[in-house]
Amino acid sequence: AQKVTQAQTEISVVEKEDVTLDCVYETRDTTYYLFWYKQPPSGELVFLIRRNSFDEQNEISGRYSWNFQKSTSSFNFTITASQVVDSAVYFCALSEASHGNAGNMLTFGGGTRLMVKP
Amino acid sequence: GAGVSQSPSNKVTEKGKDVELRCDPISGHTALYWYRQSLGQGLEFLIYFQGNSAPDKSGLPSDRFSAERTGGSVSTLTIQRTQQEDSAVYLCASSISRGGNQPQHFGDGTRLSIL
């Protein structure tokens, strides 16, 4: 069965610090997709990034970067020079290509609450 | 609207009553998903629709839960004889197709409180 673990339940940093959110996943599928979502205090889940299992290239988008390593089944998310507006709960999620009748349901980790203090 | 729309945003009801939650997906999105977010259980998958059909209902927590989708668009999630453990935020998401590489876009959710 698929599983996503975010070991850090809560992280507190001071503005401008770099912070890395960890995500470890388990799946038997060879083709799968990994996602990060942000949930600000307003509650809406906002899609940040998708990564395919066959593409281990790291990705950078502004202050955000993602490190995907199949060897350790990890998909970590780094925010550089954090800002107060980055305060939110961040979820890592996994979708398997072959999930049959459940479509491509997302299996979420427990989330990491990030608090960025001024 | 441009995004996934859910209504009501908040619902408070007494134990034993039935409730109906509505989701209006992004126009043109064929896949629709319901999830539940609660303190104890995190984010859990409930049910998936491709078009109007729901091939797998095994994610629904009990037979008090049902869902339908009509016209390949709006979906309703119905909870009968509500219990206190049904209190949660119910999230709806849609994606352009059922492919696993398609990101799911979420609504703001319905916060359900059972007294």
Side-chain angles (χ1 to χ4, degrees), chain B residues 16-66:
Chain B
K17 301 283 189 186
D18 297 352
V19 296
E20 199 171 273
L21 312 179
R22 175 188 167 106
C23 172
D24 200 344
I26 292 171
S27 178
H29 280 197
T30 61
L32 185 148
Y33 300 80
W34 283 97
Y35 295 86
R36 178 168 75 171
Q37 185 174 24
S38 57
L39 277 175
Q41 302 298 323
L43 273 153
E44 317 168 79
F45 166 75
L46 297 179
I47 192 168
Y48 149 74
F49 287 91
Q50 178 59 38
N52 288 339
S53 64
D56 185 351
K57 301 180 181 179
S58 61
L60 296 175
S62 80
D63 59 8
R64 297 184 294 104
F65 287 70
S66 63

mmCIF file of all heavy atoms in Angstrom, chain B residues 16-66:
data_model
loop_
_atom_site.group_PDB
_atom_site.id
_atom_site.type_symbol
_atom_site.label_atom_id
_atom_site.label_comp_id
_atom_site.label_asym_id
_atom_site.label_seq_id
_atom_site.Cartn_x
_atom_site.Cartn_y
_atom_site.Cartn_z
ATOM 1 N N GLY B 16 -27.646 13.074 14.078
ATOM 2 C CA GLY B 16 -28.813 12.361 13.584
ATOM 3 C C GLY B 16 -29.452 12.965 12.353
ATOM 4 O O GLY B 16 -30.232 12.303 11.664
ATOM 5 N N LYS B 17 -29.104 14.213 12.062
ATOM 6 C CA LYS B 17 -29.657 14.862 10.869
ATOM 7 C C LYS B 17 -28.868 14.448 9.629
ATOM 8 O O LYS B 17 -27.727 13.991 9.714
ATOM 9 C CB LYS B 17 -29.571 16.389 11.012
ATOM 10 C CG LYS B 17 -30.306 16.956 12.194
ATOM 11 C CD LYS B 17 -31.783 17.007 11.938
ATOM 12 C CE LYS B 17 -32.476 17.793 13.052
ATOM 13 N NZ LYS B 17 -33.936 17.752 12.910
ATOM 14 N N ASP B 18 -29.495 14.608 8.466
ATOM 15 C CA ASP B 18 -28.813 14.371 7.203
ATOM 16 C C ASP B 18 -28.234 15.691 6.694
ATOM 17 O O ASP B 18 -28.817 16.760 6.907
ATOM 18 C CB ASP B 18 -29.794 13.838 6.147
ATOM 19 C CG ASP B 18 -30.389 12.485 6.524
ATOM 20 O OD1 ASP B 18 -29.932 11.875 7.525
ATOM 21 O OD2 ASP B 18 -31.322 12.046 5.829
ATOM 22 N N VAL B 19 -27.090 15.612 6.018
ATOM 23 C CA VAL B 19 -26.501 16.811 5.411
ATOM 24 C C VAL B 19 -26.106 16.512 3.974
ATOM 25 O O VAL B 19 -25.801 15.373 3.617
ATOM 26 C CB VAL B 19 -25.269 17.334 6.181
ATOM 27 C CG1 VAL B 19 -25.638 17.787 7.570
ATOM 28 C CG2 VAL B 19 -24.164 16.298 6.229
ATOM 29 N N GLU B 20 -26.112 17.567 3.178
ATOM 30 C CA GLU B 20 -25.725 17.445 1.778
ATOM 31 C C GLU B 20 -24.686 18.512 1.471
ATOM 32 O O GLU B 20 -24.899 19.698 1.715
ATOM 33 C CB GLU B 20 -26.969 17.635 0.898
ATOM 34 C CG GLU B 20 -26.820 17.109 -0.502
ATOM 35 C CD GLU B 20 -28.148 17.123 -1.243
ATOM 36 O OE1 GLU B 20 -28.898 16.134 -1.122
ATOM 37 O OE2 GLU B 20 -28.425 18.122 -1.923
ATOM 38 N N LEU B 21 -23.564 18.076 0.939
ATOM 39 C CA LEU B 21 -22.482 18.985 0.596
ATOM 40 C C LEU B 21 -22.340 19.011 -0.924
ATOM 41 O O LEU B 21 -22.419 17.973 -1.585
ATOM 42 C CB LEU B 21 -21.169 18.507 1.235
ATOM 43 C CG LEU B 21 -21.241 18.124 2.722
ATOM 44 C CD1 LEU B 21 -19.873 17.657 3.209
ATOM 45 C CD2 LEU B 21 -21.749 19.268 3.561
ATOM 46 N N ARG B 22 -22.045 20.207 -1.437
ATOM 47 C CA ARG B 22 -22.033 20.360 -2.892
ATOM 48 C C ARG B 22 -20.658 20.766 -3.394
ATOM 49 O O ARG B 22 -19.957 21.533 -2.728
ATOM 50 C CB ARG B 22 -23.067 21.418 -3.286
ATOM 51 C CG ARG B 22 -23.096 21.789 -4.757
ATOM 52 C CD ARG B 22 -24.005 22.974 -5.004
ATOM 53 N NE ARG B 22 -23.807 23.514 -6.337
ATOM 54 C CZ ARG B 22 -24.667 23.353 -7.332
ATOM 55 N NH1 ARG B 22 -25.795 22.685 -7.146
ATOM 56 N NH2 ARG B 22 -24.427 23.883 -8.526
ATOM 57 N N CYS B 23 -20.313 20.255 -4.571
ATOM 58 C CA CYS B 23 -19.047 20.612 -5.206
ATOM 59 C C CYS B 23 -19.277 20.914 -6.670
ATOM 60 O O CYS B 23 -19.866 20.110 -7.394
ATOM 61 C CB CYS B 23 -18.041 19.471 -5.067
ATOM 62 S SG CYS B 23 -16.527 19.733 -6.019
ATOM 63 N N ASP B 24 -18.788 22.055 -7.104
ATOM 64 C CA ASP B 24 -18.855 22.452 -8.511
ATOM 65 C C ASP B 24 -17.420 22.503 -9.036
ATOM 66 O O ASP B 24 -16.661 23.404 -8.656
ATOM 67 C CB ASP B 24 -19.533 23.809 -8.623
ATOM 68 C CG ASP B 24 -20.077 24.077 -10.010
ATOM 69 O OD1 ASP B 24 -19.676 23.361 -10.952
ATOM 70 O OD2 ASP B 24 -20.896 25.002 -10.157
ATOM 71 N N PRO B 25 -17.016 21.536 -9.850
ATOM 72 C CA PRO B 25 -15.605 21.470 -10.260
ATOM 73 C C PRO B 25 -15.257 22.529 -11.305
ATOM 74 O O PRO B 25 -16.122 23.234 -11.802
ATOM 75 C CB PRO B 25 -15.499 20.074 -10.873
ATOM 76 C CG PRO B 25 -16.873 19.819 -11.428
ATOM 77 C CD PRO B 25 -17.825 20.482 -10.468
ATOM 78 N N ILE B 26 -13.990 22.593 -11.631
ATOM 79 C CA ILE B 26 -13.544 23.488 -12.690
ATOM 80 C C ILE B 26 -14.152 23.001 -14.007
ATOM 81 O O ILE B 26 -14.160 21.789 -14.282
ATOM 82 C CB ILE B 26 -12.002 23.504 -12.760
ATOM 83 C CG1 ILE B 26 -11.446 24.163 -11.492
ATOM 84 C CG2 ILE B 26 -11.513 24.234 -14.000
ATOM 85 C CD1 ILE B 26 -9.940 24.055 -11.344
ATOM 86 N N SER B 27 -14.643 23.928 -14.788
ATOM 87 C CA SER B 27 -15.293 23.583 -16.051
ATOM 88 C C SER B 27 -14.352 22.772 -16.938
ATOM 89 O O SER B 27 -13.185 23.140 -17.136
ATOM 90 C CB SER B 27 -15.709 24.879 -16.765
ATOM 91 O OG SER B 27 -16.294 24.581 -18.004
ATOM 92 N N GLY B 28 -14.864 21.647 -17.447
ATOM 93 C CA GLY B 28 -14.058 20.814 -18.336
ATOM 94 C C GLY B 28 -13.274 19.727 -17.633
ATOM 95 O O GLY B 28 -12.699 18.852 -18.287
ATOM 96 N N HIS B 29 -13.236 19.752 -16.311
ATOM 97 C CA HIS B 29 -12.524 18.712 -15.562
ATOM 98 C C HIS B 29 -13.423 17.477 -15.438
ATOM 99 O O HIS B 29 -14.525 17.548 -14.909
ATOM 100 C CB HIS B 29 -12.143 19.221 -14.163
ATOM 101 C CG HIS B 29 -10.935 20.086 -14.164
ATOM 102 N ND1 HIS B 29 -10.229 20.375 -13.022
ATOM 103 C CD2 HIS B 29 -10.290 20.715 -15.178
ATOM 104 C CE1 HIS B 29 -9.202 21.148 -13.331
ATOM 105 N NE2 HIS B 29 -9.225 21.377 -14.630
ATOM 106 N N THR B 30 -12.900 16.343 -15.923
ATOM 107 C CA THR B 30 -13.725 15.132 -15.925
ATOM 108 C C THR B 30 -13.590 14.330 -14.634
ATOM 109 O O THR B 30 -14.471 13.572 -14.274
ATOM 110 C CB THR B 30 -13.348 14.223 -17.105
ATOM 111 O OG1 THR B 30 -11.979 13.839 -16.971
ATOM 112 C CG2 THR B 30 -13.531 14.957 -18.433
ATOM 113 N N ALA B 31 -12.472 14.486 -13.950
ATOM 114 C CA ALA B 31 -12.245 13.721 -12.721
ATOM 115 C C ALA B 31 -12.562 14.586 -11.513
ATOM 116 O O ALA B 31 -12.190 15.760 -11.460
ATOM 117 C CB ALA B 31 -10.802 13.229 -12.653
ATOM 118 N N LEU B 32 -13.270 13.998 -10.554
ATOM 119 C CA LEU B 32 -13.652 14.720 -9.340
ATOM 120 C C LEU B 32 -13.404 13.823 -8.137
ATOM 121 O O LEU B 32 -13.695 12.625 -8.170
ATOM 122 C CB LEU B 32 -15.132 15.123 -9.427
ATOM 123 C CG LEU B 32 -15.710 15.994 -8.301
ATOM 124 C CD1 LEU B 32 -16.789 16.907 -8.845
ATOM 125 C CD2 LEU B 32 -16.233 15.166 -7.154
ATOM 126 N N TYR B 33 -12.849 14.383 -7.093
ATOM 127 C CA TYR B 33 -12.479 13.627 -5.893
ATOM 128 C C TYR B 33 -13.060 14.308 -4.656
ATOM 129 O O TYR B 33 -13.095 15.542 -4.570
ATOM 130 C CB TYR B 33 -10.952 13.587 -5.733
ATOM 131 C CG TYR B 33 -10.197 12.938 -6.872
ATOM 132 C CD1 TYR B 33 -9.925 13.640 -8.048
ATOM 133 C CD2 TYR B 33 -9.730 11.626 -6.770
ATOM 134 C CE1 TYR B 33 -9.229 13.049 -9.087
ATOM 135 C CE2 TYR B 33 -9.028 11.033 -7.805
ATOM 136 C CZ TYR B 33 -8.779 11.750 -8.959
ATOM 137 O OH TYR B 33 -8.086 11.164 -9.986
ATOM 138 N N TRP B 34 -13.454 13.484 -3.698
ATOM 139 C CA TRP B 34 -13.827 13.969 -2.369
ATOM 140 C C TRP B 34 -12.806 13.453 -1.354
ATOM 141 O O TRP B 34 -12.425 12.265 -1.387
ATOM 142 C CB TRP B 34 -15.217 13.485 -1.958
ATOM 143 C CG TRP B 34 -16.363 14.218 -2.595
ATOM 144 C CD1 TRP B 34 -17.078 13.831 -3.702
ATOM 145 C CD2 TRP B 34 -16.958 15.443 -2.150
ATOM 146 N NE1 TRP B 34 -18.073 14.744 -3.974
ATOM 147 C CE2 TRP B 34 -18.028 15.734 -3.033
ATOM 148 C CE3 TRP B 34 -16.712 16.318 -1.094
ATOM 149 C CZ2 TRP B 34 -18.839 16.871 -2.894
ATOM 150 C CZ3 TRP B 34 -17.505 17.450 -0.958
ATOM 151 C CH2 TRP B 34 -18.556 17.717 -1.844
ATOM 152 N N TYR B 35 -12.381 14.334 -0.467
ATOM 153 C CA TYR B 35 -11.485 13.992 0.625
ATOM 154 C C TYR B 35 -12.085 14.550 1.920
ATOM 155 O O TYR B 35 -12.918 15.449 1.898
ATOM 156 C CB TYR B 35 -10.092 14.622 0.431
ATOM 157 C CG TYR B 35 -9.314 14.110 -0.758
ATOM 158 C CD1 TYR B 35 -9.499 14.671 -2.027
ATOM 159 C CD2 TYR B 35 -8.382 13.076 -0.620
ATOM 160 C CE1 TYR B 35 -8.771 14.216 -3.119
ATOM 161 C CE2 TYR B 35 -7.652 12.617 -1.706
ATOM 162 C CZ TYR B 35 -7.853 13.193 -2.951
ATOM 163 O OH TYR B 35 -7.141 12.738 -4.036
ATOM 164 N N ARG B 36 -11.586 14.026 3.016
ATOM 165 C CA ARG B 36 -12.007 14.527 4.331
ATOM 166 C C ARG B 36 -10.748 14.858 5.117
ATOM 167 O O ARG B 36 -9.781 14.083 5.111
ATOM 168 C CB ARG B 36 -12.844 13.467 5.045
ATOM 169 C CG ARG B 36 -13.288 13.854 6.426
ATOM 170 C CD ARG B 36 -14.344 12.896 6.956
ATOM 171 N NE ARG B 36 -13.788 11.614 7.372
ATOM 172 C CZ ARG B 36 -14.494 10.696 8.028
ATOM 173 N NH1 ARG B 36 -15.763 10.926 8.316
ATOM 174 N NH2 ARG B 36 -13.944 9.551 8.360
ATOM 175 N N GLN B 37 -10.773 15.986 5.812
ATOM 176 C CA GLN B 37 -9.634 16.401 6.627
ATOM 177 C C GLN B 37 -10.102 16.570 8.051
ATOM 178 O O GLN B 37 -10.932 17.424 8.348
ATOM 179 C CB GLN B 37 -9.031 17.715 6.102
ATOM 180 C CG GLN B 37 -7.771 18.129 6.848
ATOM 181 C CD GLN B 37 -7.109 19.346 6.227
ATOM 182 O OE1 GLN B 37 -7.740 20.150 5.545
ATOM 183 N NE2 GLN B 37 -5.806 19.476 6.440
ATOM 184 N N SER B 38 -9.568 15.731 8.921
ATOM 185 C CA SER B 38 -9.916 15.830 10.337
ATOM 186 C C SER B 38 -8.648 15.764 11.155
ATOM 187 O O SER B 38 -7.617 15.286 10.683
ATOM 188 C CB SER B 38 -10.887 14.709 10.743
ATOM 189 O OG SER B 38 -10.320 13.444 10.456
ATOM 190 N N LEU B 39 -8.751 16.221 12.409
ATOM 191 C CA LEU B 39 -7.561 16.314 13.258
ATOM 192 C C LEU B 39 -6.926 14.951 13.481
ATOM 193 O O LEU B 39 -5.737 14.789 13.415
ATOM 194 C CB LEU B 39 -7.925 16.962 14.593
ATOM 195 C CG LEU B 39 -7.963 18.491 14.597
ATOM 196 C CD1 LEU B 39 -8.456 18.996 15.938
ATOM 197 C CD2 LEU B 39 -6.585 19.061 14.282
ATOM 198 N N GLY B 40 -7.735 13.986 13.720
ATOM 199 C CA GLY B 40 -7.190 12.677 14.065
ATOM 200 C C GLY B 40 -6.718 11.861 12.872
ATOM 201 O O GLY B 40 -5.799 11.065 12.987
ATOM 202 N N GLN B 41 -7.332 12.073 11.719
ATOM 203 C CA GLN B 41 -7.087 11.212 10.560
ATOM 204 C C GLN B 41 -6.335 11.891 9.430
ATOM 205 O O GLN B 41 -6.024 11.251 8.431
ATOM 206 C CB GLN B 41 -8.434 10.681 10.021
ATOM 207 C CG GLN B 41 -9.252 9.902 11.025
ATOM 208 C CD GLN B 41 -8.548 8.662 11.497
ATOM 209 O OE1 GLN B 41 -7.856 7.982 10.729
ATOM 210 N NE2 GLN B 41 -8.677 8.357 12.773
ATOM 211 N N GLY B 42 -6.069 13.174 9.540
ATOM 212 C CA GLY B 42 -5.396 13.854 8.438
ATOM 213 C C GLY B 42 -6.301 13.940 7.228
ATOM 214 O O GLY B 42 -7.529 14.018 7.339
ATOM 215 N N LEU B 43 -5.702 13.891 6.041
ATOM 216 C CA LEU B 43 -6.447 13.983 4.792
ATOM 217 C C LEU B 43 -6.703 12.586 4.251
ATOM 218 O O LEU B 43 -5.773 11.857 3.934
ATOM 219 C CB LEU B 43 -5.645 14.774 3.752
ATOM 220 C CG LEU B 43 -5.833 16.282 3.784
ATOM 221 C CD1 LEU B 43 -4.607 16.981 3.246
ATOM 222 C CD2 LEU B 43 -7.063 16.671 2.980
ATOM 223 N N GLU B 44 -7.983 12.224 4.133
ATOM 224 C CA GLU B 44 -8.335 10.887 3.668
ATOM 225 C C GLU B 44 -9.154 10.970 2.391
ATOM 226 O O GLU B 44 -10.071 11.779 2.294
ATOM 227 C CB GLU B 44 -9.239 10.151 4.661
ATOM 228 C CG GLU B 44 -8.948 10.228 6.100
ATOM 229 C CD GLU B 44 -10.134 9.672 6.878
ATOM 230 O OE1 GLU B 44 -10.276 8.429 6.976
ATOM 231 O OE2 GLU B 44 -10.939 10.482 7.383
ATOM 232 N N PHE B 45 -8.865 10.077 1.479
ATOM 233 C CA PHE B 45 -9.637 9.952 0.245
ATOM 234 C C PHE B 45 -10.983 9.293 0.539
ATOM 235 O O PHE B 45 -11.049 8.313 1.289
ATOM 236 C CB PHE B 45 -8.840 9.099 -0.747
ATOM 237 C CG PHE B 45 -9.629 8.600 -1.927
ATOM 238 C CD1 PHE B 45 -9.963 9.449 -2.959
ATOM 239 C CD2 PHE B 45 -10.020 7.275 -2.001
ATOM 240 C CE1 PHE B 45 -10.682 8.984 -4.053
ATOM 241 C CE2 PHE B 45 -10.734 6.793 -3.083
ATOM 242 C CZ PHE B 45 -11.066 7.644 -4.107
ATOM 243 N N LEU B 46 -12.032 9.827 -0.058
ATOM 244 C CA LEU B 46 -13.364 9.248 0.127
ATOM 245 C C LEU B 46 -13.864 8.556 -1.130
ATOM 246 O O LEU B 46 -14.238 7.378 -1.100
ATOM 247 C CB LEU B 46 -14.363 10.338 0.545
ATOM 248 C CG LEU B 46 -14.103 11.041 1.876
ATOM 249 C CD1 LEU B 46 -15.157 12.106 2.127
ATOM 250 C CD2 LEU B 46 -14.061 10.044 3.024
ATOM 251 N N ILE B 47 -13.916 9.304 -2.242
ATOM 252 C CA ILE B 47 -14.512 8.746 -3.454
ATOM 253 C C ILE B 47 -14.032 9.522 -4.661
ATOM 254 O O ILE B 47 -13.646 10.693 -4.549
ATOM 255 C CB ILE B 47 -16.054 8.766 -3.356
ATOM 256 C CG1 ILE B 47 -16.699 7.921 -4.459
ATOM 257 C CG2 ILE B 47 -16.587 10.195 -3.374
ATOM 258 C CD1 ILE B 47 -18.185 7.661 -4.243
ATOM 259 N N TYR B 48 -14.071 8.859 -5.790
ATOM 260 C CA TYR B 48 -13.603 9.432 -7.050
ATOM 261 C C TYR B 48 -14.676 9.259 -8.113
ATOM 262 O O TYR B 48 -15.332 8.217 -8.166
ATOM 263 C CB TYR B 48 -12.320 8.716 -7.442
ATOM 264 C CG TYR B 48 -12.039 8.583 -8.917
ATOM 265 C CD1 TYR B 48 -11.629 9.672 -9.671
ATOM 266 C CD2 TYR B 48 -12.162 7.348 -9.551
ATOM 267 C CE1 TYR B 48 -11.360 9.544 -11.022
ATOM 268 C CE2 TYR B 48 -11.895 7.206 -10.903
ATOM 269 C CZ TYR B 48 -11.493 8.306 -11.639
ATOM 270 O OH TYR B 48 -11.226 8.178 -12.971
ATOM 271 N N PHE B 49 -14.876 10.263 -8.939
ATOM 272 C CA PHE B 49 -15.776 10.200 -10.082
ATOM 273 C C PHE B 49 -15.000 10.449 -11.361
ATOM 274 O O PHE B 49 -14.184 11.373 -11.448
ATOM 275 C CB PHE B 49 -16.875 11.284 -9.984
ATOM 276 C CG PHE B 49 -17.925 11.003 -8.960
ATOM 277 C CD1 PHE B 49 -17.792 11.462 -7.662
ATOM 278 C CD2 PHE B 49 -19.051 10.268 -9.295
ATOM 279 C CE1 PHE B 49 -18.769 11.209 -6.719
ATOM 280 C CE2 PHE B 49 -20.037 10.015 -8.359
ATOM 281 C CZ PHE B 49 -19.891 10.488 -7.063
ATOM 282 N N GLN B 50 -15.263 9.619 -12.341
ATOM 283 C CA GLN B 50 -14.817 9.891 -13.693
ATOM 284 C C GLN B 50 -16.091 10.075 -14.500
ATOM 285 O O GLN B 50 -16.861 9.133 -14.680
ATOM 286 C CB GLN B 50 -13.975 8.739 -14.241
ATOM 287 C CG GLN B 50 -13.516 8.935 -15.670
ATOM 288 C CD GLN B 50 -12.669 10.189 -15.843
ATOM 289 O OE1 GLN B 50 -11.861 10.545 -14.989
ATOM 290 N NE2 GLN B 50 -12.851 10.872 -16.955
ATOM 291 N N GLY B 51 -16.337 11.290 -14.973
ATOM 292 C CA GLY B 51 -17.650 11.572 -15.540
ATOM 293 C C GLY B 51 -18.681 11.458 -14.440
ATOM 294 O O GLY B 51 -18.494 11.982 -13.343
ATOM 295 N N ASN B 52 -19.746 10.709 -14.704
ATOM 296 C CA ASN B 52 -20.810 10.539 -13.710
ATOM 297 C C ASN B 52 -20.655 9.283 -12.872
ATOM 298 O O ASN B 52 -21.440 9.063 -11.947
ATOM 299 C CB ASN B 52 -22.177 10.479 -14.398
ATOM 300 C CG ASN B 52 -22.595 11.835 -14.940
ATOM 301 O OD1 ASN B 52 -22.088 12.862 -14.500
ATOM 302 N ND2 ASN B 52 -23.493 11.826 -15.901
ATOM 303 N N SER B 53 -19.703 8.453 -13.193
ATOM 304 C CA SER B 53 -19.631 7.172 -12.498
ATOM 305 C C SER B 53 -18.521 7.165 -11.450
ATOM 306 O O SER B 53 -17.476 7.805 -11.605
ATOM 307 C CB SER B 53 -19.425 6.044 -13.494
ATOM 308 O OG SER B 53 -18.193 6.194 -14.145
ATOM 309 N N ALA B 54 -18.794 6.433 -10.401
ATOM 310 C CA ALA B 54 -17.844 6.280 -9.286
ATOM 311 C C ALA B 54 -17.479 4.800 -9.197
ATOM 312 O O ALA B 54 -18.176 4.029 -8.538
ATOM 313 C CB ALA B 54 -18.464 6.758 -7.985
ATOM 314 N N PRO B 55 -16.392 4.403 -9.856
ATOM 315 C CA PRO B 55 -16.059 2.972 -9.892
ATOM 316 C C PRO B 55 -15.723 2.377 -8.529
ATOM 317 O O PRO B 55 -15.873 1.180 -8.325
ATOM 318 C CB PRO B 55 -14.832 2.919 -10.802
ATOM 319 C CG PRO B 55 -14.778 4.226 -11.492
ATOM 320 C CD PRO B 55 -15.444 5.218 -10.606
ATOM 321 N N ASP B 56 -15.250 3.197 -7.612
ATOM 322 C CA ASP B 56 -14.776 2.656 -6.333
ATOM 323 C C ASP B 56 -15.319 3.497 -5.191
ATOM 324 O O ASP B 56 -14.990 4.668 -5.094
ATOM 325 C CB ASP B 56 -13.243 2.651 -6.314
ATOM 326 C CG ASP B 56 -12.676 1.993 -5.064
ATOM 327 O OD1 ASP B 56 -13.443 1.695 -4.129
ATOM 328 O OD2 ASP B 56 -11.457 1.768 -5.036
ATOM 329 N N LYS B 57 -16.141 2.873 -4.360
ATOM 330 C CA LYS B 57 -16.707 3.603 -3.221
ATOM 331 C C LYS B 57 -16.112 3.127 -1.912
ATOM 332 O O LYS B 57 -16.613 3.442 -0.833
ATOM 333 C CB LYS B 57 -18.236 3.444 -3.212
ATOM 334 C CG LYS B 57 -18.883 3.950 -4.495
ATOM 335 C CD LYS B 57 -20.387 3.790 -4.491
ATOM 336 C CE LYS B 57 -20.960 4.306 -5.811
ATOM 337 N NZ LYS B 57 -22.419 4.178 -5.901
ATOM 338 N N SER B 58 -15.033 2.374 -1.975
ATOM 339 C CA SER B 58 -14.506 1.750 -0.766
ATOM 340 C C SER B 58 -13.895 2.751 0.204
ATOM 341 O O SER B 58 -13.685 2.431 1.366
ATOM 342 C CB SER B 58 -13.467 0.688 -1.131
ATOM 343 O OG SER B 58 -12.384 1.284 -1.817
ATOM 344 N N GLY B 59 -13.616 3.967 -0.259
ATOM 345 C CA GLY B 59 -13.059 4.974 0.635
ATOM 346 C C GLY B 59 -14.089 5.620 1.543
ATOM 347 O O GLY B 59 -13.733 6.283 2.520
ATOM 348 N N LEU B 60 -15.362 5.426 1.226
ATOM 349 C CA LEU B 60 -16.406 6.005 2.075
ATOM 350 C C LEU B 60 -16.390 5.298 3.423
ATOM 351 O O LEU B 60 -16.377 4.070 3.480
ATOM 352 C CB LEU B 60 -17.773 5.877 1.414
ATOM 353 C CG LEU B 60 -17.939 6.641 0.096
ATOM 354 C CD1 LEU B 60 -19.295 6.351 -0.537
ATOM 355 C CD2 LEU B 60 -17.760 8.135 0.314
ATOM 356 N N PRO B 61 -16.414 6.064 4.527
ATOM 357 C CA PRO B 61 -16.201 5.458 5.850
ATOM 358 C C PRO B 61 -17.340 4.569 6.343
ATOM 359 O O PRO B 61 -17.101 3.692 7.166
ATOM 360 C CB PRO B 61 -16.017 6.670 6.775
ATOM 361 C CG PRO B 61 -16.512 7.845 6.027
ATOM 362 C CD PRO B 61 -16.470 7.538 4.582
ATOM 363 N N SER B 62 -18.548 4.780 5.866
ATOM 364 C CA SER B 62 -19.659 3.914 6.269
ATOM 365 C C SER B 62 -20.773 4.028 5.242
ATOM 366 O O SER B 62 -20.712 4.875 4.344
ATOM 367 C CB SER B 62 -20.176 4.321 7.654
ATOM 368 O OG SER B 62 -21.028 5.453 7.559
ATOM 369 N N ASP B 63 -21.790 3.182 5.385
ATOM 370 C CA ASP B 63 -22.899 3.227 4.421
ATOM 371 C C ASP B 63 -23.807 4.431 4.645
ATOM 372 O O ASP B 63 -24.776 4.628 3.917
ATOM 373 C CB ASP B 63 -23.697 1.914 4.432
ATOM 374 C CG ASP B 63 -24.273 1.595 5.795
ATOM 375 O OD1 ASP B 63 -24.189 2.456 6.700
ATOM 376 O OD2 ASP B 63 -24.782 0.481 5.968
ATOM 377 N N ARG B 64 -23.503 5.244 5.630
ATOM 378 C CA ARG B 64 -24.261 6.488 5.802
ATOM 379 C C ARG B 64 -23.810 7.550 4.794
ATOM 380 O O ARG B 64 -24.481 8.556 4.608
ATOM 381 C CB ARG B 64 -24.088 7.032 7.214
ATOM 382 C CG ARG B 64 -24.635 6.114 8.314
ATOM 383 C CD ARG B 64 -24.524 6.759 9.693
ATOM 384 N NE ARG B 64 -23.134 6.945 10.116
ATOM 385 C CZ ARG B 64 -22.496 8.110 10.100
ATOM 386 N NH1 ARG B 64 -23.124 9.213 9.699
ATOM 387 N NH2 ARG B 64 -21.238 8.188 10.501
ATOM 388 N N PHE B 65 -22.658 7.292 4.177
ATOM 389 C CA PHE B 65 -22.096 8.236 3.211
ATOM 390 C C PHE B 65 -22.448 7.773 1.794
ATOM 391 O O PHE B 65 -22.305 6.597 1.457
ATOM 392 C CB PHE B 65 -20.573 8.294 3.334
ATOM 393 C CG PHE B 65 -20.073 9.002 4.550
ATOM 394 C CD1 PHE B 65 -20.220 8.456 5.819
ATOM 395 C CD2 PHE B 65 -19.428 10.226 4.434
ATOM 396 C CE1 PHE B 65 -19.754 9.117 6.946
ATOM 397 C CE2 PHE B 65 -18.951 10.895 5.557
ATOM 398 C CZ PHE B 65 -19.110 10.335 6.815
ATOM 399 N N SER B 66 -22.878 8.732 0.979
ATOM 400 C CA SER B 66 -23.115 8.439 -0.433
ATOM 401 C C SER B 66 -22.772 9.685 -1.232
ATOM 402 O O SER B 66 -22.731 10.795 -0.689
ATOM 403 C CB SER B 66 -24.563 8.007 -0.675
ATOM 404 O OG SER B 66 -25.440 9.063 -0.336
#
